[in-house]
Amino acid sequence: MTAHDKVQQFKAEVQSKIETLLNEFANGKVSREQFQALYTHQSLKLQLAEEAIRADNDGMIDGSQGQTISIRQSHMGKAIGLMIYHNKTGMFVDTLGAFNVPSAHIAPILNDFSMLMDANRPIDRQVVKVGEKQWLLFAAGRFTTVVTLFQNEPSSEQSREIERLHYDFEMANGKLLAGSHMDKSKLAYPFTVFIQQKLSPRRND
């Protein structure tokens, strides 16, 4: 393979990765924060390929591989902890994982959710940044609202996964959650799978 062919192949691979990234974001598989970091990385590699073509120097692209996985992992949303709030009583049911978030970050949105529930209005999930690398996902259900603490911004896919687990939580515990008093030791917690695995699939550069 000639130096020119090597650079052209490298450029085509980068363009393919950019297309894949665009589709991943469009389908909610990566967060906006993750997308920005990965897109910048691949764009710089594309610029490097163009410079290598102009200079006819394939050595310029050497050493540029192998960074994407680390960038993807460092910006990936990771569920740290989760708090469950009982809509009927206004009490906190339980927390899972490490959930050390001041109530000032939680109470205003929970109050907004309560007002919408009282008015029988639909409630969309909310994702808010509360720290340098901390994000909160609020998801309301029939009986409870779950607040999940993420390190880095969660993707839409991760948000949907929390909502699926929340639905399963309410389906499994509906009879207990419908009342005003409950024994949390009797509740089933589908969320533990998410908190433990943190939805961190690996993929190649």
Side-chain angles (χ1 to χ4, degrees), residues 5 25-26 28 42 46 53 59 63 90 96-97 111 116 128 160 186:
D5 290 341
F25 182 75
Q42 297 296 353
L46 196 59
I53 290 171
L96 302 174
N111 289 337
L116 291 170
V128 294
R160 288 194 298 269
K186 295 181 180 179

Side-chain angles (χ1 to χ4, degrees), residues 149-164:
L149 175 63
F150 280 86
Q151 177 182 319
N152 299 320
E153 182 183 11
S155 66
S156 296
E157 186 177 78
Q158 289 175 313
S159 298
R160 288 194 298 269
E161 179 68 1
I162 284 290
E163 289 177 326
R164 182 186 71 80

Side-chain angles (χ1 to χ4, degrees), residues 2-204:
T2 66
H4 178 76
D5 290 341
K6 179 181 176 182
V7 177
Q8 288 290 354
Q9 180 179 334
F10 174 80
K11 179 182 176 182
E13 289 172 353
V14 173
Q15 289 174 323
S16 176
K17 288 171 185 174
I18 289 175
E19 288 295 324
T20 298
L21 179 61
L22 295 175
N23 288 325
E24 284 183 328
F25 182 75
N27 292 313
K29 293 183 179 297
V30 297
S31 69
R32 180 179 54 184
E33 182 182 49
Q34 210 177 0
F35 171 84
Q36 293 297 153
L38 289 167
Y39 188 83
T40 297
H41 172 62
Q42 297 296 353
S43 294
L44 291 173
K45 286 168 66 176
L46 196 59
Q47 292 175 21
L48 184 63
E50 297 287 359
E51 292 174 10
I53 290 171
R54 287 193 293 270
D56 193 24
N57 179 6
D58 63 323
M60 294 177 66
I61 63 173
D62 291 340
S64 63
Q65 301 280 30
Q67 300 175 17
T68 306
I69 289 178
S70 113
I71 292 173
R72 181 177 289 271
Q73 292 294 328
S74 67
H75 289 84
M76 177 176 288
K78 299 177 181 66
I80 300 171
L82 180 144
M83 184 274 294
I84 304 168
Y85 171 84
H86 194 237
N87 299 333
K88 185 175 182 179
T89 62
M91 302 293 289
F92 294 114
V93 177
D94 206 352
T95 59
L96 302 174
F99 193 89
N100 300 314
V101 181
S103 59
H105 292 316
I106 303 172
I109 294 179
L110 290 180
N111 289 337
D112 289 343
F113 277 23
S114 294
M115 291 173 61
L116 291 170
M117 287 175 193
D118 291 341
N120 291 317
R121 295 176 60 185
I123 305 173
D124 294 327
R125 65 174 179 255
Q126 288 197 35
V127 180
V128 294
K129 189 173 185 179
V130 294
E132 180 62 27
K133 287 191 173 185
Q134 290 192 326
W135 297 73
L136 289 177
L137 164 66
F138 292 79
R142 180 182 176 187
F143 303 112
T144 58
T145 297
V146 294
V147 186
T148 310
L149 175 63
F150 280 86
Q151 177 182 319
N152 299 320
E153 182 183 11
S155 66
S156 296
E157 186 177 78
Q158 289 175 313
S159 298
R160 288 194 298 269
E161 179 68 1
I162 284 290
E163 289 177 326
R164 182 186 71 80
L165 294 171
H166 187 197
Y167 175 82
D168 290 349
F169 169 76
E170 295 206 329
M171 287 294 292
N173 302 299
K175 291 182 179 179
L176 291 171
L177 296 173
S180 298
H181 303 284
M182 74 194 75
D183 181 354
K184 68 180 182 180
S185 68
K186 295 181 180 179
L187 297 174
Y189 291 100
F191 304 108
T192 55
V193 174
F194 187 90
I195 298 296
Q196 290 169 2
Q197 295 183 351
K198 301 179 182 177
L199 284 186
S200 56
R202 291 184 175 274
R203 41 169 290 176
N204 295 327

